[in-house]
Amino acid sequence: MRGLFEIKIKKEEKDSKDYIIKKMKERRKNYLLGNIYGYNSDNEKKIYEVPLHIINYFEKNINKGIINLKRKNPNLRKSRIKKKRKNPNLSIQEIKEIYSEILELCKGYKTQKSKCYKNKKIKKMIEKSLQFMRENYYNDKVQEHTNWWQWEIGIPLLINDIFILMGDELKTEMEENLKTTKFFQPDPRYSGNNPVAIHPSGIPFRLSTGGNRTDTVKISLIRAILLTDINELKLALKSLNIVWKYKEEDNCENIGNERDGFYKDGSFIQH
């Protein structure tokens, strides 16, 4: 997450929130696409071409993703007979995997020299898949089940990255999907902070700690960048400080999340 903040800002632009958010979005996009960049002797940023092996990797994942998306989304299959197909029963892990496959399609669509670059059929598949998942599997009308982490962290992280790449072309889908992630994970300081939350302890609402806190901060941070929400951006940054504070040695004997974090001997405990 550090790379989001390593931005060279010209003096006259340093106070512009739009400029800073734009640059943060650019950094995340370059990271997702494997872009290599640096600064020349005149301190001007130069973006270099994406290496061929990364393009090949994206295309391999895209081919796999297209097959899986068509298998799980009846609306993407071609048929001469127009009939309503039953949606498959998907586990929460399968739901998360579909969002991961959609993200791979987005990477290919946005990567120059990829066979899928700006391909209209790929864009349509991305849009239809996002709509299908939103209407049937991941929305504010469904109940959390099986594993809270997928609902509140795993899927929101993927949705954020999908719209870092596609938000400029699929604004309506972006707004609707980010409403859902905010329903499941509204505040970086807490986990289980929604009306349908679950947790093995039986007490869903709790402080997010350790690695989970860095994830909830990342969700709020990138969502704030996408929506130009300065209040959520400030809250995300403010909520990260607690992760870097050393825990007292006595805390390692505690049970549960209270012992999560860094210790002065160099150790880190999560769960």
Side-chain angles (χ1 to χ4, degrees), residues 143-144 148 152 184 191-199 204-206:
Q143 299 279 325
E144 284 190 16
W148 70 270
E152 299 175 27
F184 284 106
S191 291
N193 188 21
N194 71 68
V196 296
I198 58 171
H199 191 262
F205 182 76
R206 61 206 183 279

Side-chain angles (χ1 to χ4, degrees), residues 12 15 57 62 79 104 110 149-151 178 190 193 225 230 265:
E12 64 273 17
D15 295 324
Y57 173 79
I62 286 166
S79 175
E104 293 304 314
K110 287 290 188 176
W149 187 92
Q150 312 280 17
W151 297 93
L178 294 184
Y190 307 103
N193 188 21
I225 292 169
I230 298 302
D265 65 0

Side-chain angles (χ1 to χ4, degrees), residues 86-201:
K86 186 178 179 180
N87 295 332
N89 291 322
L90 300 177
S91 68
I92 186 56
Q93 178 60 31
E94 288 175 313
I95 293 169
K96 177 178 171 287
E97 286 172 359
I98 289 175
Y99 281 106
S100 182
E101 287 159 356
I102 294 171
L103 177 58
E104 293 304 314
L105 262 65
C106 296
K107 290 177 182 179
Y109 178 78
K110 287 290 188 176
T111 300
Q112 293 185 37
K113 296 193 176 180
S114 164
K115 294 175 183 177
C116 301
Y117 181 62
K118 296 293 184 179
N119 184 301
K120 291 181 180 179
K121 289 182 179 179
I122 293 295
K123 179 183 174 182
K124 196 69 179 175
M125 180 174 284
I126 292 168
E127 186 173 16
K128 279 189 172 183
S129 296
L130 286 168
Q131 182 182 2
F132 174 72
M133 295 304 292
R134 174 173 56 81
E135 290 177 351
N136 296 285
Y137 297 102
Y138 192 71
N139 56 62
D140 61 6
K141 301 296 188 297
V142 297
Q143 299 279 325
E144 284 190 16
H145 60 80
T146 313
N147 186 339
W148 70 270
W149 187 92
Q150 312 280 17
W151 297 93
E152 299 175 27
I153 292 180
I155 294 173
L157 285 171
L158 289 168
I159 287 176
N160 274 348
D161 283 344
I162 286 168
F163 291 108
I164 281 287
L165 297 176
M166 300 297 297
D168 57 337
E169 298 190 48
L170 301 175
K171 288 186 178 180
T172 300
E173 275 303 320
M174 180 181 77
E175 290 169 0
E176 292 300 318
N177 276 274
L178 294 184
K179 281 180 188 176
T180 303
T181 68
K182 193 147 192 172
F183 171 79
F184 284 106
Q185 181 54 53
D187 188 319
R189 296 169 295 180
Y190 307 103
S191 291
N193 188 21
N194 71 68
V196 296
I198 58 171
H199 191 262
S201 68

Side-chain angles (χ1 to χ4, degrees), residues 18-270:
D18 292 335
Y19 178 84
I20 293 172
I21 285 176
K22 176 185 174 183
K23 289 300 177 184
M24 293 172 83
K25 194 183 297 184
E26 270 182 22
R27 291 299 292 254
R28 186 64 185 172
K29 180 178 177 181
N30 286 330
Y31 169 79
L32 291 170
L33 296 180
N35 286 335
I36 298 172
Y37 53 90
Y39 293 86
N40 60 22
S41 58
D42 296 323
N43 207 30
E44 295 174 341
K45 187 164 80 169
K46 179 177 176 59
I47 303 279
Y48 300 93
E49 290 185 356
V50 179
L52 183 60
H53 72 275
I54 292 181
I55 293 175
N56 292 338
Y57 173 79
F58 286 164
E59 289 181 349
K60 180 180 178 181
N61 284 349
I62 286 166
N63 292 333
K64 177 184 173 184
I66 288 172
I67 294 170
N68 288 335
L69 288 172
K70 286 183 176 179
R71 179 168 58 86
K72 293 171 182 173
N73 183 351
N75 298 325
L76 295 177
R77 301 175 204 155
K78 290 183 178 180
S79 175
R80 293 181 181 178
I81 303 173
K82 296 292 182 181
K83 62 179 180 179
K84 188 173 181 180
R85 299 184 176 93
K86 186 178 179 180
N87 295 332
N89 291 322
L90 300 177
S91 68
I92 186 56
Q93 178 60 31
E94 288 175 313
I95 293 169
K96 177 178 171 287
E97 286 172 359
I98 289 175
Y99 281 106
S100 182
E101 287 159 356
I102 294 171
L103 177 58
E104 293 304 314
L105 262 65
C106 296
K107 290 177 182 179
Y109 178 78
K110 287 290 188 176
T111 300
Q112 293 185 37
K113 296 193 176 180
S114 164
K115 294 175 183 177
C116 301
Y117 181 62
K118 296 293 184 179
N119 184 301
K120 291 181 180 179
K121 289 182 179 179
I122 293 295
K123 179 183 174 182
K124 196 69 179 175
M125 180 174 284
I126 292 168
E127 186 173 16
K128 279 189 172 183
S129 296
L130 286 168
Q131 182 182 2
F132 174 72
M133 295 304 292
R134 174 173 56 81
E135 290 177 351
N136 296 285
Y137 297 102
Y138 192 71
N139 56 62
D140 61 6
K141 301 296 188 297
V142 297
Q143 299 279 325
E144 284 190 16
H145 60 80
T146 313
N147 186 339
W148 70 270
W149 187 92
Q150 312 280 17
W151 297 93
E152 299 175 27
I153 292 180
I155 294 173
L157 285 171
L158 289 168
I159 287 176
N160 274 348
D161 283 344
I162 286 168
F163 291 108
I164 281 287
L165 297 176
M166 300 297 297
D168 57 337
E169 298 190 48
L170 301 175
K171 288 186 178 180
T172 300
E173 275 303 320
M174 180 181 77
E175 290 169 0
E176 292 300 318
N177 276 274
L178 294 184
K179 281 180 188 176
T180 303
T181 68
K182 193 147 192 172
F183 171 79
F184 284 106
Q185 181 54 53
D187 188 319
R189 296 169 295 180
Y190 307 103
S191 291
N193 188 21
N194 71 68
V196 296
I198 58 171
H199 191 262
S201 68
I203 307 173
F205 182 76
R206 61 206 183 279
L207 281 174
S208 61
T209 58
N212 289 334
R213 172 64 72 97
T214 61
D215 281 337
T216 56
V217 165
K218 188 176 178 182
I219 289 165
S220 283
L221 177 69
I222 296 180
R223 183 168 61 212
I225 292 169
L226 288 166
L227 297 174
T228 318
D229 186 335
I230 298 302
N231 289 332
E232 185 168 18
L233 183 64
K234 288 179 179 178
L235 178 60
L237 296 176
K238 186 178 179 181
S239 301
L240 188 61
N241 290 339
I242 193 173
V243 177
W244 310 124
K245 292 180 180 178
Y246 284 121
K247 308 288 286 189
E248 297 296 329
E249 294 297 329
D250 293 344
N251 283 4
C252 65
E253 298 178 0
N254 290 339
I255 298 173
N257 294 348
E258 291 181 13
R259 63 181 189 162
D260 288 355
F262 290 101
Y263 290 79
K264 291 181 180 179
D265 65 0
S267 60
F268 175 79
I269 294 178
Q270 179 70 27

